[in-house]
Amino acid sequence: MTEPVPVIRKLEHALADDDFAWSLMLVGEDQADKLATLTADLRGPFSATGDSKRITSGFSYWGIAPTIAWANATNDPFYLVMKAGTESFLRHWRKLRPHVDNGGFHLVSLGVGTGVKDRTILSDLRRHNRHMYYIPVDMSSEMLRMGTLEPVRGARFPVSQVLPVQLDFSIDDNMDELAQMLARLVGDEPILFTLTGNTLANFESDDELLGTLTRVLRPQDRLLLEVASTTRLDQETADAAADEYHQTRAFAEFVTSALRYNTDLKISNDLVKFIGEVEDDDALLVKILWQNDTGEEIRMELPDHTEVVLPVGDTIRLYTTRKYSTTRLKRLTEACRLTPVEAIQSQFRYTRRPNPFGLELLLLAPEAAGETANTLADDIWAT
């Protein structure tokens, strides 16, 4: 009697010459649990400041309607952080690339986005490791399917070396499980983890998220981090940061899509507020929230068919984002014992007057790597 062939190996051969749009995906979480979490998040008590009922970061992209809304927003030329990030990424990446050129890295993309940046990285890394794996990780299976098309079709990366993983990577236990799976998959070979597109800024507790991610880094691994930045920290600049997001209708459609998709609330964009503030004296925080300014009580049906009463003035936090100062980035990375190997900064140049906003792309190593001299880190944070 012959030994049975593992189903994954059989699937690889079965799909090799099939041009139907199959997607293979490793699902790490019970989706019913995620729906229960979202429902609970929308039951909070009254808050006039967007600090109770909320759509947390991963849920903003969860489901086909939010995914389509996100794809539409990425093509809006008025969505400046997205537009500038896409346009500048290749130029910035080329300056960091020599640090990972010859390492034989695999790529783990945390928050896959449109896949355009992954396509660029994969094209370069694969020249030095033809057998590398590409593991995009996202809470949204729909985002994974959309985001992996660009690297697979655009960069012709072999689909047999792609392993999309549906997982909420902001949860400690999930990252532990992912790290164990990756160790079994690649052994001691190095991994480049990426968190691009200002994703870190979208989590309410950015320090906790960065700690969760970096806790699993091994000395041979690296983290590529891309964030929006600011050179000024005052209320006028915070208001300007909020206005930057307010000026794009496609972005407003995206941030409200998760609420539209999962409840029966009728949403007027006139009730969506963009509020900027200085956070902890070292970052600008933008809160985007829906507020009941209708003058009368509203009832909202949740995914479990129960109702929540929304009194006059009550709010639902739709989205959180930030612009970081160098001081904040230094504080975050030092708390996680990360050392900057290289950092590239650029400022937005679409206005005639100097603009405080820009982007930073950092290549970071865990402290245990012991590769980077402290003087280099000091030089980077001194800029």
PDB file of all heavy atoms in Angstrom, residues 334-367:
ATOM      1  N   GLU A 334      12.740  52.617  21.183  1.00  0.00           N
ATOM      2  CA  GLU A 334      13.590  52.318  22.340  1.00  0.00           C
ATOM      3  C   GLU A 334      12.844  51.451  23.352  1.00  0.00           C
ATOM      4  O   GLU A 334      13.436  50.544  23.958  1.00  0.00           O
ATOM      5  CB  GLU A 334      14.059  53.617  22.987  1.00  0.00           C
ATOM      6  CG  GLU A 334      15.142  54.332  22.180  1.00  0.00           C
ATOM      7  CD  GLU A 334      15.693  55.557  22.900  1.00  0.00           C
ATOM      8  OE1 GLU A 334      15.069  56.020  23.867  1.00  0.00           O
ATOM      9  OE2 GLU A 334      16.746  56.058  22.461  1.00  0.00           O
ATOM     10  N   ALA A 335      11.544  51.695  23.525  1.00  0.00           N
ATOM     11  CA  ALA A 335      10.758  50.878  24.459  1.00  0.00           C
ATOM     12  C   ALA A 335      10.699  49.425  23.993  1.00  0.00           C
ATOM     13  O   ALA A 335      10.590  48.508  24.811  1.00  0.00           O
ATOM     14  CB  ALA A 335       9.348  51.450  24.581  1.00  0.00           C
ATOM     15  N   CYS A 336      10.770  49.210  22.677  1.00  0.00           N
ATOM     16  CA  CYS A 336      10.716  47.853  22.120  1.00  0.00           C
ATOM     17  C   CYS A 336      12.119  47.297  21.840  1.00  0.00           C
ATOM     18  O   CYS A 336      12.244  46.233  21.233  1.00  0.00           O
ATOM     19  CB  CYS A 336       9.902  47.853  20.829  1.00  0.00           C
ATOM     20  SG  CYS A 336       8.174  48.281  21.066  1.00  0.00           S
ATOM     21  N   ARG A 337      13.128  48.038  22.273  1.00  0.00           N
ATOM     22  CA  ARG A 337      14.518  47.609  22.093  1.00  0.00           C
ATOM     23  C   ARG A 337      14.837  47.348  20.624  1.00  0.00           C
ATOM     24  O   ARG A 337      15.442  46.333  20.262  1.00  0.00           O
ATOM     25  CB  ARG A 337      14.816  46.367  22.937  1.00  0.00           C
ATOM     26  CG  ARG A 337      14.645  46.628  24.431  1.00  0.00           C
ATOM     27  CD  ARG A 337      15.023  45.423  25.250  1.00  0.00           C
ATOM     28  NE  ARG A 337      14.924  45.724  26.681  1.00  0.00           N
ATOM     29  CZ  ARG A 337      15.223  44.876  27.641  1.00  0.00           C
ATOM     30  NH1 ARG A 337      15.661  43.659  27.338  1.00  0.00           N
ATOM     31  NH2 ARG A 337      15.109  45.207  28.911  1.00  0.00           N
ATOM     32  N   LEU A 338      14.404  48.293  19.787  1.00  0.00           N
ATOM     33  CA  LEU A 338      14.699  48.246  18.360  1.00  0.00           C
ATOM     34  C   LEU A 338      15.762  49.279  18.028  1.00  0.00           C
ATOM     35  O   LEU A 338      15.715  50.411  18.531  1.00  0.00           O
ATOM     36  CB  LEU A 338      13.439  48.535  17.541  1.00  0.00           C
ATOM     37  CG  LEU A 338      12.359  47.461  17.552  1.00  0.00           C
ATOM     38  CD1 LEU A 338      11.058  48.013  16.968  1.00  0.00           C
ATOM     39  CD2 LEU A 338      12.813  46.228  16.765  1.00  0.00           C
ATOM     40  N   THR A 339      16.689  48.907  17.180  1.00  0.00           N
ATOM     41  CA  THR A 339      17.755  49.815  16.763  1.00  0.00           C
ATOM     42  C   THR A 339      17.572  50.163  15.292  1.00  0.00           C
ATOM     43  O   THR A 339      17.404  49.260  14.463  1.00  0.00           O
ATOM     44  CB  THR A 339      19.129  49.152  16.950  1.00  0.00           C
ATOM     45  OG1 THR A 339      19.274  48.787  18.314  1.00  0.00           O
ATOM     46  CG2 THR A 339      20.241  50.098  16.542  1.00  0.00           C
ATOM     47  N   PRO A 340      17.582  51.447  14.948  1.00  0.00           N
ATOM     48  CA  PRO A 340      17.449  51.805  13.525  1.00  0.00           C
ATOM     49  C   PRO A 340      18.721  51.472  12.743  1.00  0.00           C
ATOM     50  O   PRO A 340      19.809  51.923  13.103  1.00  0.00           O
ATOM     51  CB  PRO A 340      17.177  53.307  13.564  1.00  0.00           C
ATOM     52  CG  PRO A 340      17.736  53.771  14.861  1.00  0.00           C
ATOM     53  CD  PRO A 340      17.645  52.627  15.821  1.00  0.00           C
ATOM     54  N   VAL A 341      18.554  50.665  11.720  1.00  0.00           N
ATOM     55  CA  VAL A 341      19.670  50.352  10.817  1.00  0.00           C
ATOM     56  C   VAL A 341      19.815  51.465   9.775  1.00  0.00           C
ATOM     57  O   VAL A 341      20.918  51.870   9.427  1.00  0.00           O
ATOM     58  CB  VAL A 341      19.431  49.003  10.112  1.00  0.00           C
ATOM     59  CG1 VAL A 341      20.555  48.690   9.130  1.00  0.00           C
ATOM     60  CG2 VAL A 341      19.279  47.892  11.149  1.00  0.00           C
ATOM     61  N   GLU A 342      18.668  51.959   9.299  1.00  0.00           N
ATOM     62  CA  GLU A 342      18.654  53.050   8.321  1.00  0.00           C
ATOM     63  C   GLU A 342      17.290  53.719   8.395  1.00  0.00           C
ATOM     64  O   GLU A 342      16.289  53.063   8.716  1.00  0.00           O
ATOM     65  CB  GLU A 342      18.905  52.511   6.913  1.00  0.00           C
ATOM     66  CG  GLU A 342      19.148  53.564   5.849  1.00  0.00           C
ATOM     67  CD  GLU A 342      20.467  54.303   6.037  1.00  0.00           C
ATOM     68  OE1 GLU A 342      21.511  53.797   5.601  1.00  0.00           O
ATOM     69  OE2 GLU A 342      20.413  55.399   6.638  1.00  0.00           O
ATOM     70  N   ALA A 343      17.236  55.005   8.117  1.00  0.00           N
ATOM     71  CA  ALA A 343      15.959  55.726   8.113  1.00  0.00           C
ATOM     72  C   ALA A 343      15.977  56.757   7.003  1.00  0.00           C
ATOM     73  O   ALA A 343      16.963  57.462   6.833  1.00  0.00           O
ATOM     74  CB  ALA A 343      15.713  56.398   9.462  1.00  0.00           C
ATOM     75  N   ILE A 344      14.872  56.832   6.261  1.00  0.00           N
ATOM     76  CA  ILE A 344      14.734  57.801   5.177  1.00  0.00           C
ATOM     77  C   ILE A 344      13.511  58.644   5.463  1.00  0.00           C
ATOM     78  O   ILE A 344      12.426  58.119   5.737  1.00  0.00           O
ATOM     79  CB  ILE A 344      14.563  57.106   3.810  1.00  0.00           C
ATOM     80  CG1 ILE A 344      15.668  56.079   3.572  1.00  0.00           C
ATOM     81  CG2 ILE A 344      14.528  58.142   2.684  1.00  0.00           C
ATOM     82  CD1 ILE A 344      17.051  56.659   3.490  1.00  0.00           C
ATOM     83  N   GLN A 345      13.671  59.966   5.383  1.00  0.00           N
ATOM     84  CA  GLN A 345      12.556  60.869   5.642  1.00  0.00           C
ATOM     85  C   GLN A 345      12.341  61.781   4.447  1.00  0.00           C
ATOM     86  O   GLN A 345      13.304  62.212   3.805  1.00  0.00           O
ATOM     87  CB  GLN A 345      12.832  61.734   6.877  1.00  0.00           C
ATOM     88  CG  GLN A 345      11.664  62.641   7.259  1.00  0.00           C
ATOM     89  CD  GLN A 345      11.987  63.536   8.442  1.00  0.00           C
ATOM     90  OE1 GLN A 345      13.013  64.211   8.435  1.00  0.00           O
ATOM     91  NE2 GLN A 345      11.130  63.541   9.436  1.00  0.00           N
ATOM     92  N   SER A 346      11.078  62.052   4.135  1.00  0.00           N
ATOM     93  CA  SER A 346      10.767  63.022   3.074  1.00  0.00           C
ATOM     94  C   SER A 346       9.591  63.863   3.509  1.00  0.00           C
ATOM     95  O   SER A 346       8.741  63.425   4.278  1.00  0.00           O
ATOM     96  CB  SER A 346      10.434  62.291   1.767  1.00  0.00           C
ATOM     97  OG  SER A 346       9.280  61.484   1.927  1.00  0.00           O
ATOM     98  N   GLN A 347       9.537  65.089   3.018  1.00  0.00           N
ATOM     99  CA  GLN A 347       8.444  66.015   3.334  1.00  0.00           C
ATOM    100  C   GLN A 347       7.517  66.137   2.133  1.00  0.00           C
ATOM    101  O   GLN A 347       7.945  66.014   0.978  1.00  0.00           O
ATOM    102  CB  GLN A 347       9.001  67.404   3.678  1.00  0.00           C
ATOM    103  CG  GLN A 347       9.892  67.427   4.906  1.00  0.00           C
ATOM    104  CD  GLN A 347       9.182  66.966   6.169  1.00  0.00           C
ATOM    105  OE1 GLN A 347       9.584  65.975   6.774  1.00  0.00           O
ATOM    106  NE2 GLN A 347       8.123  67.661   6.560  1.00  0.00           N
ATOM    107  N   PHE A 348       6.239  66.375   2.402  1.00  0.00           N
ATOM    108  CA  PHE A 348       5.287  66.641   1.315  1.00  0.00           C
ATOM    109  C   PHE A 348       5.673  67.961   0.642  1.00  0.00           C
ATOM    110  O   PHE A 348       6.011  68.940   1.322  1.00  0.00           O
ATOM    111  CB  PHE A 348       3.865  66.744   1.855  1.00  0.00           C
ATOM    112  CG  PHE A 348       3.318  65.429   2.358  1.00  0.00           C
ATOM    113  CD1 PHE A 348       2.135  65.398   3.073  1.00  0.00           C
ATOM    114  CD2 PHE A 348       3.962  64.233   2.098  1.00  0.00           C
ATOM    115  CE1 PHE A 348       1.616  64.200   3.534  1.00  0.00           C
ATOM    116  CE2 PHE A 348       3.461  63.029   2.554  1.00  0.00           C
ATOM    117  CZ  PHE A 348       2.275  63.011   3.279  1.00  0.00           C
ATOM    118  N   ARG A 349       5.550  68.013  -0.683  1.00  0.00           N
ATOM    119  CA  ARG A 349       5.985  69.198  -1.421  1.00  0.00           C
ATOM    120  C   ARG A 349       4.893  69.730  -2.339  1.00  0.00           C
ATOM    121  O   ARG A 349       5.192  70.296  -3.389  1.00  0.00           O
ATOM    122  CB  ARG A 349       7.227  68.862  -2.244  1.00  0.00           C
ATOM    123  CG  ARG A 349       8.428  68.461  -1.388  1.00  0.00           C
ATOM    124  CD  ARG A 349       9.595  68.058  -2.238  1.00  0.00           C
ATOM    125  NE  ARG A 349      10.749  67.704  -1.407  1.00  0.00           N
ATOM    126  CZ  ARG A 349      11.874  67.184  -1.889  1.00  0.00           C
ATOM    127  NH1 ARG A 349      11.991  66.962  -3.181  1.00  0.00           N
ATOM    128  NH2 ARG A 349      12.868  66.882  -1.080  1.00  0.00           N
ATOM    129  N   TYR A 350       3.639  69.555  -1.954  1.00  0.00           N
ATOM    130  CA  TYR A 350       2.563  69.979  -2.851  1.00  0.00           C
ATOM    131  C   TYR A 350       2.086  71.398  -2.582  1.00  0.00           C
ATOM    132  O   TYR A 350       1.191  71.898  -3.249  1.00  0.00           O
ATOM    133  CB  TYR A 350       1.378  69.011  -2.738  1.00  0.00           C
ATOM    134  CG  TYR A 350       0.803  68.898  -1.342  1.00  0.00           C
ATOM    135  CD1 TYR A 350      -0.219  69.739  -0.928  1.00  0.00           C
ATOM    136  CD2 TYR A 350       1.285  67.941  -0.456  1.00  0.00           C
ATOM    137  CE1 TYR A 350      -0.743  69.648   0.342  1.00  0.00           C
ATOM    138  CE2 TYR A 350       0.764  67.843   0.820  1.00  0.00           C
ATOM    139  CZ  TYR A 350      -0.249  68.703   1.210  1.00  0.00           C
ATOM    140  OH  TYR A 350      -0.753  68.610   2.476  1.00  0.00           O
ATOM    141  N   THR A 351       2.658  72.062  -1.555  1.00  0.00           N
ATOM    142  CA  THR A 351       2.258  73.443  -1.267  1.00  0.00           C
ATOM    143  C   THR A 351       3.438  74.380  -1.478  1.00  0.00           C
ATOM    144  O   THR A 351       4.599  73.970  -1.444  1.00  0.00           O
ATOM    145  CB  THR A 351       1.784  73.587   0.200  1.00  0.00           C
ATOM    146  OG1 THR A 351       2.842  73.174   1.068  1.00  0.00           O
ATOM    147  CG2 THR A 351       0.564  72.718   0.455  1.00  0.00           C
ATOM    148  N   ARG A 352       3.154  75.675  -1.665  1.00  0.00           N
ATOM    149  CA  ARG A 352       4.224  76.641  -1.881  1.00  0.00           C
ATOM    150  C   ARG A 352       4.982  76.926  -0.588  1.00  0.00           C
ATOM    151  O   ARG A 352       6.169  77.206  -0.599  1.00  0.00           O
ATOM    152  CB  ARG A 352       3.613  77.938  -2.440  1.00  0.00           C
ATOM    153  CG  ARG A 352       3.062  77.762  -3.845  1.00  0.00           C
ATOM    154  CD  ARG A 352       2.400  79.029  -4.347  1.00  0.00           C
ATOM    155  NE  ARG A 352       1.848  78.830  -5.683  1.00  0.00           N
ATOM    156  CZ  ARG A 352       1.099  79.720  -6.317  1.00  0.00           C
ATOM    157  NH1 ARG A 352       0.817  80.865  -5.735  1.00  0.00           N
ATOM    158  NH2 ARG A 352       0.643  79.469  -7.524  1.00  0.00           N
ATOM    159  N   ARG A 353       4.266  76.877   0.538  1.00  0.00           N
ATOM    160  CA  ARG A 353       4.911  77.134   1.823  1.00  0.00           C
ATOM    161  C   ARG A 353       5.452  75.819   2.401  1.00  0.00           C
ATOM    162  O   ARG A 353       4.966  74.733   2.070  1.00  0.00           O
ATOM    163  CB  ARG A 353       3.908  77.751   2.791  1.00  0.00           C
ATOM    164  CG  ARG A 353       3.492  79.152   2.399  1.00  0.00           C
ATOM    165  CD  ARG A 353       2.609  79.775   3.468  1.00  0.00           C
ATOM    166  NE  ARG A 353       1.381  79.013   3.666  1.00  0.00           N
ATOM    167  CZ  ARG A 353       0.476  79.305   4.584  1.00  0.00           C
ATOM    168  NH1 ARG A 353       0.683  80.317   5.411  1.00  0.00           N
ATOM    169  NH2 ARG A 353      -0.610  78.599   4.700  1.00  0.00           N
ATOM    170  N   PRO A 354       6.451  75.876   3.262  1.00  0.00           N
ATOM    171  CA  PRO A 354       6.984  74.661   3.879  1.00  0.00           C
ATOM    172  C   PRO A 354       5.871  73.890   4.573  1.00  0.00           C
ATOM    173  O   PRO A 354       5.043  74.462   5.277  1.00  0.00           O
ATOM    174  CB  PRO A 354       8.010  75.203   4.881  1.00  0.00           C
ATOM    175  CG  PRO A 354       8.398  76.548   4.356  1.00  0.00           C
ATOM    176  CD  PRO A 354       7.176  77.105   3.688  1.00  0.00           C
ATOM    177  N   ASN A 355       5.860  72.578   4.363  1.00  0.00           N
ATOM    178  CA  ASN A 355       4.806  71.720   4.910  1.00  0.00           C
ATOM    179  C   ASN A 355       5.392  70.857   6.031  1.00  0.00           C
ATOM    180  O   ASN A 355       6.449  70.253   5.852  1.00  0.00           O
ATOM    181  CB  ASN A 355       4.261  70.830   3.781  1.00  0.00           C
ATOM    182  CG  ASN A 355       3.000  70.103   4.187  1.00  0.00           C
ATOM    183  OD1 ASN A 355       3.003  69.340   5.155  1.00  0.00           O
ATOM    184  ND2 ASN A 355       1.924  70.331   3.467  1.00  0.00           N
ATOM    185  N   PRO A 356       4.731  70.790   7.182  1.00  0.00           N
ATOM    186  CA  PRO A 356       5.295  70.005   8.290  1.00  0.00           C
ATOM    187  C   PRO A 356       5.121  68.497   8.122  1.00  0.00           C
ATOM    188  O   PRO A 356       5.717  67.729   8.880  1.00  0.00           O
ATOM    189  CB  PRO A 356       4.493  70.495   9.497  1.00  0.00           C
ATOM    190  CG  PRO A 356       3.171  70.902   8.921  1.00  0.00           C
ATOM    191  CD  PRO A 356       3.470  71.466   7.559  1.00  0.00           C
ATOM    192  N   PHE A 357       4.328  68.062   7.153  1.00  0.00           N
ATOM    193  CA  PHE A 357       3.991  66.641   7.057  1.00  0.00           C
ATOM    194  C   PHE A 357       4.884  65.910   6.064  1.00  0.00           C
ATOM    195  O   PHE A 357       5.344  66.480   5.073  1.00  0.00           O
ATOM    196  CB  PHE A 357       2.528  66.463   6.639  1.00  0.00           C
ATOM    197  CG  PHE A 357       1.564  67.131   7.573  1.00  0.00           C
ATOM    198  CD1 PHE A 357       0.436  67.780   7.089  1.00  0.00           C
ATOM    199  CD2 PHE A 357       1.791  67.130   8.944  1.00  0.00           C
ATOM    200  CE1 PHE A 357      -0.455  68.393   7.950  1.00  0.00           C
ATOM    201  CE2 PHE A 357       0.908  67.748   9.818  1.00  0.00           C
ATOM    202  CZ  PHE A 357      -0.215  68.384   9.309  1.00  0.00           C
ATOM    203  N   GLY A 358       5.104  64.640   6.322  1.00  0.00           N
ATOM    204  CA  GLY A 358       5.923  63.821   5.437  1.00  0.00           C
ATOM    205  C   GLY A 358       5.793  62.355   5.789  1.00  0.00           C
ATOM    206  O   GLY A 358       4.823  61.926   6.427  1.00  0.00           O
ATOM    207  N   LEU A 359       6.780  61.573   5.363  1.00  0.00           N
ATOM    208  CA  LEU A 359       6.786  60.126   5.601  1.00  0.00           C
ATOM    209  C   LEU A 359       8.174  59.693   6.059  1.00  0.00           C
ATOM    210  O   LEU A 359       9.175  60.284   5.648  1.00  0.00           O
ATOM    211  CB  LEU A 359       6.423  59.373   4.313  1.00  0.00           C
ATOM    212  CG  LEU A 359       4.965  59.460   3.869  1.00  0.00           C
ATOM    213  CD1 LEU A 359       4.844  58.993   2.423  1.00  0.00           C
ATOM    214  CD2 LEU A 359       4.070  58.607   4.763  1.00  0.00           C
ATOM    215  N   GLU A 360       8.212  58.669   6.908  1.00  0.00           N
ATOM    216  CA  GLU A 360       9.493  58.070   7.309  1.00  0.00           C
ATOM    217  C   GLU A 360       9.449  56.580   7.028  1.00  0.00           C
ATOM    218  O   GLU A 360       8.449  55.913   7.309  1.00  0.00           O
ATOM    219  CB  GLU A 360       9.769  58.312   8.794  1.00  0.00           C
ATOM    220  CG  GLU A 360      10.087  59.761   9.101  1.00  0.00           C
ATOM    221  CD  GLU A 360      11.012  59.923  10.296  1.00  0.00           C
ATOM    222  OE1 GLU A 360      11.772  58.977  10.599  1.00  0.00           O
ATOM    223  OE2 GLU A 360      10.971  60.998  10.915  1.00  0.00           O
ATOM    224  N   LEU A 361      10.526  56.064   6.460  1.00  0.00           N
ATOM    225  CA  LEU A 361      10.673  54.628   6.245  1.00  0.00           C
ATOM    226  C   LEU A 361      11.905  54.183   7.018  1.00  0.00           C
ATOM    227  O   LEU A 361      13.006  54.675   6.780  1.00  0.00           O
ATOM    228  CB  LEU A 361      10.834  54.326   4.753  1.00  0.00           C
ATOM    229  CG  LEU A 361      10.809  52.849   4.369  1.00  0.00           C
ATOM    230  CD1 LEU A 361       9.433  52.236   4.641  1.00  0.00           C
ATOM    231  CD2 LEU A 361      11.145  52.667   2.876  1.00  0.00           C
ATOM    232  N   LEU A 362      11.695  53.288   7.975  1.00  0.00           N
ATOM    233  CA  LEU A 362      12.776  52.854   8.859  1.00  0.00           C
ATOM    234  C   LEU A 362      13.001  51.356   8.740  1.00  0.00           C
ATOM    235  O   LEU A 362      12.043  50.580   8.748  1.00  0.00           O
ATOM    236  CB  LEU A 362      12.454  53.177  10.322  1.00  0.00           C
ATOM    237  CG  LEU A 362      12.173  54.623  10.690  1.00  0.00           C
ATOM    238  CD1 LEU A 362      10.662  54.846  10.788  1.00  0.00           C
ATOM    239  CD2 LEU A 362      12.800  54.950  12.028  1.00  0.00           C
ATOM    240  N   LEU A 363      14.269  50.967   8.670  1.00  0.00           N
ATOM    241  CA  LEU A 363      14.642  49.557   8.789  1.00  0.00           C
ATOM    242  C   LEU A 363      15.192  49.362  10.196  1.00  0.00           C
ATOM    243  O   LEU A 363      16.155  50.032  10.586  1.00  0.00           O
ATOM    244  CB  LEU A 363      15.681  49.179   7.741  1.00  0.00           C
ATOM    245  CG  LEU A 363      16.068  47.700   7.733  1.00  0.00           C
ATOM    246  CD1 LEU A 363      14.881  46.831   7.311  1.00  0.00           C
ATOM    247  CD2 LEU A 363      17.242  47.439   6.777  1.00  0.00           C
ATOM    248  N   LEU A 364      14.556  48.470  10.956  1.00  0.00           N
ATOM    249  CA  LEU A 364      14.878  48.305  12.373  1.00  0.00           C
ATOM    250  C   LEU A 364      15.362  46.893  12.654  1.00  0.00           C
ATOM    251  O   LEU A 364      14.890  45.923  12.050  1.00  0.00           O
ATOM    252  CB  LEU A 364      13.632  48.595  13.218  1.00  0.00           C
ATOM    253  CG  LEU A 364      13.044  50.007  13.044  1.00  0.00           C
ATOM    254  CD1 LEU A 364      11.584  50.043  13.483  1.00  0.00           C
ATOM    255  CD2 LEU A 364      13.858  51.024  13.835  1.00  0.00           C
ATOM    256  N   ALA A 365      16.280  46.793  13.599  1.00  0.00           N
ATOM    257  CA  ALA A 365      16.805  45.484  14.019  1.00  0.00           C
ATOM    258  C   ALA A 365      16.546  45.308  15.507  1.00  0.00           C
ATOM    259  O   ALA A 365      16.594  46.280  16.272  1.00  0.00           O
ATOM    260  CB  ALA A 365      18.308  45.407  13.747  1.00  0.00           C
ATOM    261  N   PRO A 366      16.260  44.069  15.937  1.00  0.00           N
ATOM    262  CA  PRO A 366      16.121  43.854  17.382  1.00  0.00           C
ATOM    263  C   PRO A 366      17.449  44.076  18.071  1.00  0.00           C
ATOM    264  O   PRO A 366      18.522  43.860  17.486  1.00  0.00           O
ATOM    265  CB  PRO A 366      15.654  42.390  17.476  1.00  0.00           C
ATOM    266  CG  PRO A 366      16.101  41.763  16.211  1.00  0.00           C
ATOM    267  CD  PRO A 366      16.071  42.831  15.162  1.00  0.00           C
ATOM    268  N   GLU A 367      17.388  44.505  19.307  1.00  0.00           N
ATOM    269  CA  GLU A 367      18.607  44.830  20.040  1.00  0.00           C
ATOM    270  C   GLU A 367      19.588  43.667  20.064  1.00  0.00           C
ATOM    271  O   GLU A 367      20.806  43.847  19.975  1.00  0.00           O
ATOM    272  CB  GLU A 367      18.239  45.228  21.475  1.00  0.00           C
ATOM    273  CG  GLU A 367      19.386  45.721  22.300  1.00  0.00           C
ATOM    274  CD  GLU A 367      18.912  46.073  23.704  1.00  0.00           C
ATOM    275  OE1 GLU A 367      18.457  45.160  24.428  1.00  0.00           O
ATOM    276  OE2 GLU A 367      18.988  47.247  24.066  1.00  0.00           O
TER     277      GLU A 367
END
